[in-house]
């Protein structure tokens, strides 16, 4: 689901990114410094090459979360490519959008947000959005001709006063790559990036992996005639041992 973030909220509009605009704080520095990096510099500092290869867990077998299997004969190598929104090829944008549509369109349609393809594409192309693209036919620099999964995230501010967060916007996998430990690996990779960047909180929509309801998650609203229930929850997790 899209996030009511300070950078471009429905209420504040563009330019409402910083609650104390014009003041310099350590929190501002983390976000500004990180987003000023080129995609190559970001990758070199925060995304180790070894984490961009994952060997799937065959059905019925278990292994430590996020760790590759040793049995090459019973596993499939999955490659991940790291991209900025500007660096996505047109075919990759189309395939990422198709994944969102295939896996989540119905959920959007039944929510208060609704399904708005043009709005979703604008969000996907946000200059500060970054992607982990998944494919069985590629390497860390190229994912071949087929995007089979993606995780999109942004280093941004949330809450008031502003707190730097790593916000996970979408995580999607084709059916054949689910239940093999890959989703957990992607989540762990996002957490590790947050830790290396120095962000102390990551946000997303799952209750697994120690996430809990965030203070900025909206509450139900009482009107004169009825209670308007929210249809999404923002979850967060404190990142331990974040680098300064």
């Amino acid at each position: 689901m899209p996030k009511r973030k300070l950078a471009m909220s429905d209420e504040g509009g563009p330019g409402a990114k910083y609650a104390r605009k014009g003041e310099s704080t350590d929190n501002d520095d983390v976000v500004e410094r990180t987003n000023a990096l080129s995609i190559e510099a970001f990758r070199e500092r925060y995304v180790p090459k070894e984490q961009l290869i994952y060997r799937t867990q065959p059905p019925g077998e278990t292994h430590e979360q996020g760790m590759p299997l040793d049995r090459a004969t019973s596993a499939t190598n999955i490659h991940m490519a790291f991209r900025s929104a500007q660096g996505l090829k047109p075919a990759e944008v189309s395939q990422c959008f198709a994944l969102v549509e295939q896996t989540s369109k119905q959920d959007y349609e039944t929510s208060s947000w609704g399904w708005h393809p043009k709005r979703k594409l604008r969000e996907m192309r946000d200059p500060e959005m970054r992607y982990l693209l998944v494919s069985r036919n590629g390497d860390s620099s190229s994912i071949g001709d087929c995007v089979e999964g993606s995780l999109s995230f942004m280093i941004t501010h949330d809450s008031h006063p502003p707190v730097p967060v790593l916000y996970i916007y979408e995580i999607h996998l084709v059916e054949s790559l689910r239940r093999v430990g890959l989703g957990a690996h992607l989540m762990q990779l996002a957490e590790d990036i947050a830790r290396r960047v120095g962000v102390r909180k990551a946000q997303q929509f799952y209750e697994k992996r120690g996430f809990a309801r965030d203070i900025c998650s909206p509450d139900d609203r009482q009107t004169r005639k009825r209670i308007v229930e929210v249809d999404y929850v923002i979850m967060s997790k404190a990142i331990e041992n974040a680098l300064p």
Side-chain angles (χ1 to χ4, degrees):
M1 288 287 185
K3 164 179 173 280
R4 292 179 183 268
K5 58 187 174 68
L6 296 178
M8 197 173 291
S9 67
D10 292 339
E11 296 82 6
K17 182 170 184 178
Y18 301 106
R20 291 176 291 178
K21 189 172 182 180
E23 297 182 20
S24 177
T25 68
D26 291 341
N27 286 346
D28 290 344
D29 289 344
V30 170
V31 175
E32 293 176 359
R33 181 178 68 248
T34 304
N35 288 333
L37 293 173
S38 68
I39 194 67
E40 293 80 11
F42 190 106
R43 184 190 299 113
E44 182 177 350
R45 294 188 188 186
Y46 307 126
V47 191
K49 290 182 179 179
E50 59 269 21
Q51 284 191 283
L52 295 177
I53 301 177
Y54 180 80
R55 187 168 293 165
T56 62
Q57 171 189 328
E61 297 187 26
T62 60
H63 66 290
E64 185 178 349
Q65 186 168 280
M67 296 296 292
L69 284 176
D70 292 328
R71 304 181 185 87
T73 56
S74 61
T76 300
N77 284 334
I78 303 296
H79 296 273
M80 283 152 275
F82 184 63
R83 295 271 198 278
S84 64
Q86 300 100 314
L88 288 175
K89 301 173 183 177
E92 292 171 343
V93 174
S94 297
Q95 291 172 49
C96 286
F97 179 81
L99 273 173
V100 177
E101 189 172 41
Q102 292 164 13
T103 61
S104 300
K105 179 181 177 180
Q106 185 174 355
D107 293 328
Y108 275 99
E109 287 177 334
T110 57
S111 75
S112 60
W113 293 95
W115 174 245
H116 305 285
K118 291 182 179 179
R119 185 184 302 173
K120 172 54 65 176
L121 283 168
R122 284 197 302 270
E123 176 189 277
M124 291 173 63
R125 294 188 177 108
D126 188 300
E128 295 178 355
M129 193 75 76
R130 295 177 174 88
Y131 289 83
L132 291 164
L133 304 182
V134 175
S135 176
R136 282 169 281 199
N137 305 314
D139 54 38
S140 60
S141 60
S142 174
I143 50 93
D145 58 357
C146 182
V147 176
E148 298 178 283
S150 68
L151 182 149
S152 57
F153 71 91
M154 188 183 295
I155 306 295
T156 185
H157 291 101
D158 213 15
S159 305
H160 183 76
V163 175
V165 300
L166 184 149
Y167 195 97
I168 298 173
Y169 277 73
E170 307 276 356
I171 177 170
H172 302 278
L173 294 170
V174 296
E175 181 65 32
S176 59
L177 288 182
R178 299 173 194 170
R179 296 176 292 278
V180 294
L182 181 57
H185 178 78
L186 287 169
M187 291 297 301
Q188 185 62 55
L189 179 50
E191 290 181 30
D192 289 345
I193 291 171
R195 185 176 296 107
R196 296 181 188 112
V197 167
V199 167
R200 289 171 170 77
K201 186 167 70 170
Q203 294 186 309
Q204 51 91 56
F205 292 99
Y206 296 97
E207 294 185 357
K208 291 183 178 181
R209 305 179 59 80
F211 285 81
R213 185 185 180 97
D214 190 81
I215 191 172
C216 70
S217 186
D219 296 318
D220 295 341
R221 293 186 296 109
Q222 175 71 60
T223 67
R224 292 183 178 181
K225 296 183 178 180
R226 65 188 180 95
I227 296 177
V228 179
E229 297 182 352
V230 296
D231 49 14
Y232 71 98
V233 177
I234 295 177
M235 314 294 287
S236 69
K237 177 179 179 179
I239 299 298
E240 299 180 357
N241 302 317
L243 297 178

